[in-house]
Amino acid sequence: MKTSLRKTTDRGSRADAGITGVSASIMKKRTTHTKHRSSVGPSSLVSQLKQSIIGCRIRHGWKEGNSPVTHWKGTILDQVPVNPSLYLIKYDGFDCVYGLELDKDERISALEVLPDRVATSQTCDAHLADMMSSKAVKHLFETEDGSKDEWRGMTLARVPVMNTGFYITYEEDPVLYMYQLLDDYKEGDLRIMPYSIDSLPVQRERGEVVEFLVGKRVECATQDGSGRKGMIIHQVKVKPSICFIKFDDDFYIYVYDLVKAF
């Protein structure tokens, strides 16, 4: 099994929260994990960001508060059309997708766009990859004691710059992850459920979100009474009520069904 320990260390419990700015929505708040909160000063390469850097490798420093500078290297997966300063990034050694404004975030320093770009696999099984998109799945991960831990989730889409990479999220951890799922499927560690979001009937359920919500601002009311504001940056094409949300105070991308939990 290739996918060992990568996700189980990222999991945490959630607290129910409500969101305003969209109709009939239910959200869960991610618990803070200090492992991922080590962060990224102003960029001296703003001119490079005016060109397309999707698929490029980057590295930079990150300093948050009084913490020492940490160093990060990763791949630019996408640029968000409704906020061109916001990039989706997969950092080496981490499986969740980060959302950062590379030319605005003052915690980022010494940003460098590397000459190498992500390699595109020529051996991708296109039919299998298309079949695996937008599916409810059970994903097995190996734990420290060698046993397998099962996570229920949903494949959302293929990653444009990596034809073997998939965006995926999990019921118990509704943030955006990216994994190379084809090998897991072939090895039996990813099982497709008998239902999927693209097999739902065309007619919409009562109260379901159908309007175009990308770019809309939302507000989340947390259990402690504080509020979180953010923006819907993407809707899943085959199920528009499932949205990607980037909160102003966080660099994770959250995935929620604004009508009901999947």
Side-chain angles (χ1 to χ4, degrees), residues 8-225:
T8 54
T9 55
D10 297 339
R11 300 308 180 192
S13 60
R14 304 297 186 279
D16 289 339
I19 207 172
T20 60
V22 293
S23 60
S25 49
I26 298 175
M27 300 185 66
K28 293 181 182 291
K29 179 179 180 295
R30 180 179 176 83
T31 301
T32 298
H33 292 276
T34 54
K35 174 182 178 182
H36 286 309
R37 296 295 174 182
S38 34
S39 322
V40 238
S43 167
S44 61
L45 300 181
V46 173
S47 60
Q48 284 189 259
L49 299 183
K50 293 180 181 179
Q51 305 173 13
S52 176
I53 59 172
I54 297 173
C56 290
R57 299 275 296 159
I58 63 168
R59 64 185 173 198
H60 59 74
W62 173 272
K63 180 174 176 56
E64 192 164 11
N66 295 322
S67 300
V69 175
T70 56
H71 300 280
W72 296 73
K73 183 182 288 187
T75 301
I76 302 291
L77 302 179
D78 208 350
Q79 184 176 18
V80 177
V82 293
N83 180 6
S85 294
L86 182 63
Y87 291 87
L88 303 186
I89 306 166
K90 165 69 170 60
Y91 286 104
D92 298 354
F94 296 90
D95 300 314
C96 56
V97 176
Y98 288 74
L100 288 172
E101 293 182 293
L102 292 177
D103 59 343
K104 293 183 178 180
D105 199 316
E106 295 183 352
R107 297 168 295 185
I108 298 174
S109 62
L111 174 64
E112 182 180 356
V113 178
L114 303 176
D116 53 322
R117 300 178 70 93
V118 63
T120 301
S121 172
Q122 301 299 320
T123 60
C124 174
D125 186 331
H127 176 73
L128 177 59
D130 289 341
M131 182 272 292
M132 288 175 53
S133 298
S134 305
K135 295 293 191 296
V137 298
K138 291 182 179 179
H139 199 184
L140 299 179
F141 289 83
E142 187 175 303
T143 62
E144 292 180 353
D145 62 7
S147 62
K148 292 186 178 182
D149 195 8
E150 181 180 272
W151 290 86
R152 295 171 63 95
M154 183 175 293
T155 60
L156 300 165
R158 293 169 66 182
V159 179
V161 298
M162 297 180 180
N163 57 9
T164 60
F166 288 81
Y167 290 130
I168 185 170
T169 193
Y170 299 89
E171 290 182 358
E172 297 184 16
D173 193 12
V175 297
L176 191 64
Y177 285 84
M178 194 218 80
Y179 287 112
Q180 310 283 343
L181 294 179
L182 293 180
D183 288 342
D184 282 0
Y185 177 79
K186 293 175 181 178
E187 294 168 5
D189 293 328
L190 183 82
R191 298 199 295 268
I192 296 175
M193 304 292 285
Y195 59 90
S196 62
I197 57 176
D198 61 359
S199 65
L200 296 173
V202 175
Q203 61 270 26
R204 302 294 179 182
E205 299 176 13
R206 184 176 180 180
E208 184 166 351
V209 178
V210 293
E211 65 268 26
F212 184 74
L213 297 176
V214 174
K216 297 288 184 66
R217 297 285 298 173
V218 296
E219 184 173 356
C220 171
T222 61
Q223 276 191 333
D224 61 7

